[in-house]
Amino acid sequence: MATIRDVAQRAGVSVATVSRVLNQNGYVNQDTEARVMKVIKELDYRPNTVARSLANRKTGTIALILPTIMNPFFSELSRAVEDSARSRGFTVIFCNSDDLDTREQTYIDVLRQKYIDGIIFASSSLGEEDLAVINENGIPLVVLDRALREGNCSVIRSKNAEGARKAVHHLLATGCRKVAHIAGPQELITAQERLRGYRDVVKDLDWFEESLILPGQFSITGGKGAVQALVEAHPDVDGIFAGNDLMAIGALKALHRMGIKVPEEVSLCGFDGIGATEWTEPELTTVAQLIYEMGARAALHLIDRVQGYTDQVEDLELDVHLIERGSTRRRKY
Amino acid sequence: MATIRDVAQRAGVSVATVSRVLNQNGYVNQDTEARVMKVIKELDYRPNTVARSLANRKTGTIALILPTIMNPFFSELSRAVEDSARSRGFTVIFCNSDDLDTREQTYIDVLRQKYIDGIIFASSSLGEEDLAVINENGIPLVVLDRALREGNCSVIRSKNAEGARKAVHHLLATGCRKVAHIAGPQELITAQERLRGYRDVVKDLDWFEESLILPGQFSITGGKGAVQALVEAHPDVDGIFAGNDLMAIGALKALHRMGIKVPEEVSLCGFDGIGATEWTEPELTTVAQLIYEMGARAALHLIDRVQGYTDQVEDLELDVHLIERGSTRRRKY
DNA sequence: ACAAAATATGTAACCGGTTACATATAGCAT
DNA sequence: ATGCTATATGTAACCGGTTACATATTTTGT
């Protein structure tokens, strides 16, 4: 591979001049520029990004830390992030954390050493102190789905509580008399907020009791398990609000296996709006987040900060909307 | 951030010595080493990866080029790649190509400039010439799911034709009298091979005709469309082999919508073995690939080559196996 | 006891860019 | 004609590591 010095020599100029041509800064004579460009073409010269990164401490790379890419929610999110990054000439490094903080720690260490320009954090188990460490290193940070007291860090999240309320109201409106909630792991803010939304609506209804809230790990198996326990404890449940779509899918499977008809006997509503909610039968009613937009906004805002177009941190709450499908349907009594 | 010179100065040695301590090479006195290590701890020094990369032309980064991460097959594959890479201290850059060759070209350019150590190519539309370009640049390459004449490039693929034969044999064995095939885009080798496998089995059966082969784009919508056309043209079809699971899911939806019972009236078999085949009702019979293993092998082998542990290219054919589920069931006549 | 080999450490060039600073010429106002 | 500014280009230090080579000391072999 040709280097900048090869180009300089062949064009009869100094490396500084070539660099100026490359970066379109400083004064360069038109003729000189043309000559340099010609040589660049001839040699098929491409500036070495690593050398560039070393010199100006920018790598054109951002990292996306997420629990696991195998969760469709994060697949879509990361697709958005990569699309947006590419449109701005950035590349993306992926990190599956499995929500393990040791793993997150390790990643952050590695990323720091690699001069990563910025990080999008979609994995929620990292403590505030750790985030502070990143900040100290001056790495711009965008966090998804959590509120932070500390200021120097952008946050983008969905209206989880509001979405949960929408879901439960919808279930009640379609005629449910007793609505249970399959909750995600309470370490995660999203899971907390959705549970809160559920509580907001049902807490004063006479049928409500704590045992209508079951843990489901945000996973398919968790959703299945929750339904089994639920039906045993509350055979009269006729509505389920699952804290995410994967649990809803699991719930649907379990209900089917138990011979309970959806939506005739039990209505079911998920949360997230992943594509797979249209793959089941019946299709799942769900509270859709603007997943792609979330990823795109996160990436574009992060890159804006990296490039110094803005130094303001953002705190965005994205709308959610209910998508009514076959798993909930108005019932007549 | 402390630099190697800071460490050297504080420890009263030269940078070369510190470097030797860091890389565990060359001669270093025990006491000196201890002293250097102590200073490293004190300063919380981490070697700058970018500088290192520039010096030794290795970045500890590999790239994975795939059609789109939103296809669950590739989600799982990339999970495997990332896990394996991490276990060897490598990071992974993701590239969604959407099977556009311009996009792939651009990526390769960028990756070359970034001194990426190696590339895993899971996107099949790139021509041989382009692959040659990568090879000329000396970038180790592992290609998934395609055969290449040219030698200097490892290939890992599944036994697609064999898998397809298994699928069709299974459908016939469960009592199907007329089996159609929903095929993927024929630019892709995998799609070709699966179609070939289907042909191998049915070509001499009296009911076979070309119009039983329908294009389905490897997508859900494609699968739906294919089924609609199929049922119109061949109402007597009682078995469908879909070239991948997404199309099978689409087919299942369409059949359901048309009131055709699976497996009672039509048996359905997919290909890939993605998790979502267990999310549908009935669950989908499918020819499972060793997706995770494919990704893991690709990554580990690539890194072996990057690190010079081997310079042999690999040509691996992974086994596939039929998973029988509810979408195909033995019928009695 | 002496040469050869092993151990220990330092100097400085190098990887391939960027950029502060120095220098030189041309254009323009006074 | 003089001084000031805008234009044009080059020199060399710098980013933060690695490593070839030189040098000095210690150990080993005979």
Side-chain angles (χ1 to χ4, degrees):
Chain A
M1 280 264 276
T3 73
I4 196 172
R5 291 170 223 265
D6 298 334
V7 176
Q9 189 167 16
R10 205 157 201 268
V13 297
S14 74
V15 291
T17 300
V18 178
S19 180
R20 285 187 201 104
V21 171
L22 287 167
N23 300 297
Q24 306 281 5
N25 59 20
Y27 292 112
V28 181
N29 183 291
Q30 296 249 318
D31 296 344
T32 314
E33 172 159 1
R35 191 150 32 94
V36 170
M37 288 303 274
K38 186 156 152 280
V39 174
I40 288 178
K41 281 262 181 319
E42 284 169 13
L43 298 182
D44 189 31
Y45 164 76
R46 319 288 167 94
N48 177 325
T49 314
V50 177
R52 239 182 201 175
S53 301
L54 182 59
N56 55 21
R57 300 157 155 277
K58 295 252 165 279
T59 52
T61 306
I62 61 175
L64 174 60
I65 301 181
L66 37 73
T68 171
I69 192 74
M70 290 181 68
N71 179 330
F73 177 86
F74 291 107
S75 301
E76 184 168 348
L77 189 85
S78 59
R79 178 69 218 241
V81 169
E82 204 268 318
D83 283 348
S84 309
R86 173 161 26 83
S87 79
R88 302 282 293 267
F90 276 64
T91 37
V92 184
I93 287 183
F94 279 73
C95 311
N96 296 99
S97 75
D98 288 322
D99 274 323
L100 300 170
D101 26 356
T102 53
R103 186 111 108 235
E104 290 168 351
Q105 291 286 4
T106 316
Y107 275 131
I108 289 172
D109 247 41
V110 172
L111 299 173
R112 214 172 56 133
Q113 287 171 56
K114 287 209 172 184
Y115 270 141
I116 290 314
D117 291 339
I119 301 180
I120 299 176
F121 213 90
S123 181
S124 323
S125 64
L126 203 69
E128 306 254 339
E129 334 75 51
D130 305 303
L131 295 178
V133 170
I134 305 178
N135 265 319
E136 277 164 32
N137 273 275
I139 306 177
L141 182 65
V142 175
V143 170
L144 303 186
D145 274 329
R146 44 162 42 200
L148 286 180
R149 314 176 235 328
E150 211 223 322
N152 195 20
C153 159
S154 299
V155 181
I156 303 182
R157 52 188 192 279
S158 287
K159 295 177 177 163
N160 286 298
E162 182 186 320
R165 286 191 294 267
K166 282 188 183 177
V168 181
H169 278 136
H170 169 68
L171 287 167
L172 294 174
T174 56
C176 293
R177 303 294 175 80
K178 193 166 187 178
V179 177
H181 176 52
I182 308 182
Q186 294 298 303
E187 313 82 273
L188 306 185
I189 311 281
T190 47
Q192 284 174 27
E193 290 183 346
R194 291 171 200 177
L195 171 55
R196 180 159 58 79
Y198 166 77
R199 272 222 165 80
D200 288 347
V201 180
V202 303
K203 64 174 187 293
D204 293 327
L205 302 180
D206 52 4
W207 50 259
F208 174 67
E209 39 183 318
E210 282 296 319
S211 59
L212 284 169
I213 300 168
L214 294 102
Q217 327 298 358
F218 270 167
S219 74
I220 298 207
T221 15
K224 283 186 191 166
V227 161
Q228 268 155 351
L230 178 66
V231 171
E232 197 140 319
H234 296 277
D236 57 334
V237 156
D238 61 357
I240 300 178
F241 164 49
N244 77 355
D245 286 334
L246 287 183
M247 294 192 298
I249 289 171
L252 185 62
K253 295 248 53 145
L255 289 167
H256 179 86
R257 198 160 295 168
M258 297 166 94
I260 299 171
K261 291 208 171 62
V262 177
E264 291 78 1
E265 297 172 70
V266 171
S267 282
L268 181 58
C269 177
F271 202 115
D272 277 353
I274 62 176
T277 49
E278 295 184 90
W279 303 353
T280 58
E281 191 56 47
E283 296 185 4
L284 285 169
T285 293
T286 186
V287 178
Q289 301 188 59
L290 301 169
I291 309 179
Y292 193 93
E293 183 169 352
M294 192 173 209
R297 290 251 201 168
L300 294 174
H301 169 74
L302 181 65
I303 293 174
D304 275 346
R305 282 181 53 202
V306 166
Q307 301 190 323
Y309 292 155
T310 178
D311 48 0
Q312 278 190 288
V313 300
E314 196 169 58
D315 189 340
L316 211 68
E317 271 210 323
L318 295 177
D319 287 327
V320 295
H321 65 283
L322 186 83
I323 303 180
E324 283 191 51
R325 300 219 189 86
S327 71
T328 59
R329 205 180 303 145
R330 188 162 300 277
R331 252 165 285 165
K332 321 160 190 72
Y333 289 92
Chain B
M1 279 264 278
T3 74
I4 197 172
R5 293 173 222 263
D6 298 333
V7 176
Q9 188 167 15
R10 203 158 203 268
V13 296
S14 74
V15 291
T17 301
V18 178
S19 180
R20 285 187 201 105
V21 171
L22 287 168
N23 300 299
Q24 307 280 7
N25 60 18
Y27 293 111
V28 181
N29 182 291
Q30 295 250 317
D31 296 344
T32 313
E33 171 160 3
R35 192 149 33 91
V36 170
M37 289 302 275
K38 187 156 151 281
V39 175
I40 288 177
K41 282 262 181 320
E42 285 170 12
L43 298 182
D44 190 30
Y45 164 76
R46 318 287 167 95
N48 177 327
T49 314
V50 177
R52 235 179 205 178
S53 302
L54 182 59
N56 55 22
R57 301 155 156 280
K58 295 250 164 282
T59 52
T61 306
I62 61 176
L64 174 61
I65 301 182
L66 38 73
T68 171
I69 191 74
M70 289 180 68
N71 180 330
F73 178 86
F74 292 107
S75 300
E76 184 168 347
L77 189 85
S78 59
R79 178 68 217 241
V81 169
E82 204 267 317
D83 283 349
S84 308
R86 172 161 27 82
S87 79
R88 301 281 293 266
F90 276 64
T91 36
V92 184
I93 287 183
F94 280 75
C95 312
N96 296 100
S97 74
D98 287 323
D99 274 323
L100 300 171
D101 26 354
T102 53
R103 182 92 58 76
E104 289 168 352
Q105 290 287 3
T106 316
Y107 275 131
I108 289 172
D109 247 41
V110 172
L111 299 174
R112 214 171 56 131
Q113 288 172 56
K114 287 209 172 187
Y115 270 144
I116 289 315
D117 291 338
I119 301 181
I120 299 176
F121 214 89
S123 181
S124 322
S125 63
L126 202 70
E128 306 254 339
E129 333 76 50
D130 306 302
L131 295 178
V133 171
I134 305 179
N135 264 320
E136 276 164 31
N137 273 276
I139 305 178
L141 182 65
V142 175
V143 169
L144 303 186
D145 274 328
R146 42 159 46 197
L148 286 180
R149 316 178 232 327
E150 210 224 323
N152 196 19
C153 159
S154 299
V155 181
I156 303 182
R157 52 187 191 278
S158 286
K159 295 177 177 163
N160 286 298
E162 181 186 320
R165 287 191 292 269
K166 281 188 184 178
V168 182
H169 279 136
H170 169 68
L171 287 167
L172 295 174
T174 56
C176 293
R177 303 292 174 82
K178 193 167 188 178
V179 178
H181 176 52
I182 308 182
Q186 294 298 304
E187 313 83 271
L188 306 185
I189 312 281
T190 47
Q192 284 174 28
E193 290 183 346
R194 291 172 200 175
L195 171 55
R196 179 159 58 79
Y198 166 77
R199 272 220 163 82
D200 289 346
V201 180
V202 303
K203 64 173 185 295
D204 293 328
L205 302 181
D206 52 4
W207 50 259
F208 175 67
E209 38 181 319
E210 282 296 321
S211 60
L212 284 168
I213 299 169
L214 295 103
Q217 328 296 0
F218 270 168
S219 73
I220 299 206
T221 15
K224 282 186 192 167
V227 161
Q228 269 155 352
L230 178 66
V231 171
E232 199 140 318
H234 296 277
D236 56 334
V237 155
D238 60 358
I240 300 177
F241 165 48
N244 77 356
D245 287 334
L246 288 183
M247 294 192 298
I249 290 171
L252 184 62
K253 295 249 51 145
L255 289 167
H256 179 86
R257 199 159 294 168
M258 298 166 92
I260 298 171
K261 290 209 170 61
V262 177
E264 291 78 2
E265 297 172 70
V266 170
S267 282
L268 180 58
C269 177
F271 201 115
D272 277 353
I274 62 176
T277 49
E278 295 183 89
W279 302 353
T280 59
E281 191 56 49
E283 296 184 4
L284 284 169
T285 293
T286 187
V287 178
Q289 300 188 60
L290 301 169
I291 309 179
Y292 193 94
E293 183 169 353
M294 192 172 208
R297 289 252 203 169
L300 294 174
H301 169 73
L302 181 64
I303 293 175
D304 276 345
R305 281 181 54 203
V306 166
Q307 301 190 323
Y309 292 157
T310 179
D311 48 0
Q312 279 190 288
V313 300
E314 196 168 59
D315 189 341
L316 211 68
E317 270 212 324
L318 295 177
D319 287 327
V320 295
H321 65 283
L322 185 83
I323 303 180
E324 284 190 50
R325 300 220 190 84
S327 70
T328 60
R329 205 180 305 147
R330 187 160 302 278
R331 251 166 285 164
K332 319 160 191 70
Y333 289 90

